[in-house]
Amino acid sequence: MSSFFSHGFDPPGAWVYPESVAEFQSMKRALTALLTLLLAICTATAQAADVDVLMTQLGSDDARERWVACDALGKLGKEAVPAVEKIALRLATDENANVRVFAAQALGEIAIQLQGDLGDNPKVLVNILTKALFDPDARVRLHAAQSLGNFGKDADPASEALGKVATSDGDAKVRNTAIAALGTIGHH
């Protein structure tokens, strides 16, 4: 390899350029691998830090901060698993309907990412989402039904409640979402 610098100035660690196409391709592969590794390390570190910050934000006195945290955690998917219990608590107990909406939605988004690999969580989460099917706010009921559908067969214990919602909820969108969830779970 020749020095990138000319005129006899060649400091330690000087830039170099490849002398052949094969050498260029080899350097390109090495650099791509290094950049991919660095990106993965930075992303994992940022997501872990984000989850911790967002979990703290779930306990905020400000409802807007709580629903923003639920929304963000749902978008993180698998990385948000450590926050699942706190999100479920927001769904079950939060006085603010927007927080409950985003909590129900986040649980469904996380379920999609995990694709049945929820460990011991499905029973507890399905139970909380099933109770949310009867929330006074139609948006919460809709997202609870949609999220139950995302759990697939793990949501089978919710089938009876989804059936009731599908036939008797006052909101047509909620009824249709409950019907779709039953189809996803395997009940027709």
Side-chain angles (χ1 to χ4, degrees):
M1 286 187 200
S2 302
S3 172
F4 181 76
F5 294 95
S6 59
H7 308 296
F9 180 69
D10 204 7
W15 288 91
V16 293
Y17 64 92
E19 293 182 358
S20 69
V21 172
E23 194 175 359
F24 172 78
Q25 290 173 340
S26 176
M27 289 175 68
K28 180 181 171 186
R29 282 191 301 275
L31 183 57
T32 300
L34 178 62
L35 290 174
T36 302
L37 177 63
L38 289 173
L39 180 61
I41 291 168
C42 291
T43 301
T45 303
Q47 288 176 339
D50 288 347
V51 170
D52 290 341
V53 169
L54 292 168
M55 284 176 59
T56 300
Q57 199 172 330
L58 286 173
S60 172
D61 291 336
D62 182 352
R64 186 173 188 279
E65 285 186 19
R66 294 191 308 273
W67 70 255
V68 166
C70 287
D71 186 41
L73 286 162
K75 287 176 177 38
L76 285 176
K78 292 178 184 181
E79 285 74 24
V81 168
V84 163
E85 288 181 27
K86 288 188 176 192
I87 297 169
L89 181 64
R90 289 291 110 211
L91 174 59
T93 64
D94 206 286
E95 64 213 24
N96 185 283
N98 288 331
V99 174
R100 295 192 311 273
V101 166
F102 282 101
Q105 187 176 1
L107 293 175
E109 290 173 352
I110 293 167
I112 288 172
Q113 290 280 322
L114 294 174
Q115 298 179 356
D117 187 23
L118 288 162
D120 297 332
N121 289 327
K123 292 178 185 175
V124 173
L125 298 178
V126 166
N127 185 37
I128 290 168
L129 286 163
T130 301
K131 289 178 183 176
L133 289 172
F134 302 100
D135 191 276
D137 191 292
R139 297 170 305 148
V140 175
R141 297 191 308 272
L142 182 132
H143 286 289
Q146 187 175 38
S147 291
L148 284 165
N150 292 345
F151 278 81
K153 294 181 188 240
D154 286 332
D156 189 62
S159 296
E160 184 178 333
L162 282 165
K164 288 179 186 176
V165 170
T167 58
S168 64
D169 195 276
D171 186 292
K173 288 180 183 178
V174 175
R175 288 192 308 271
N176 289 335
T177 302
I179 291 167
L182 284 167
T184 303
I185 292 168
H187 295 273
H188 303 286

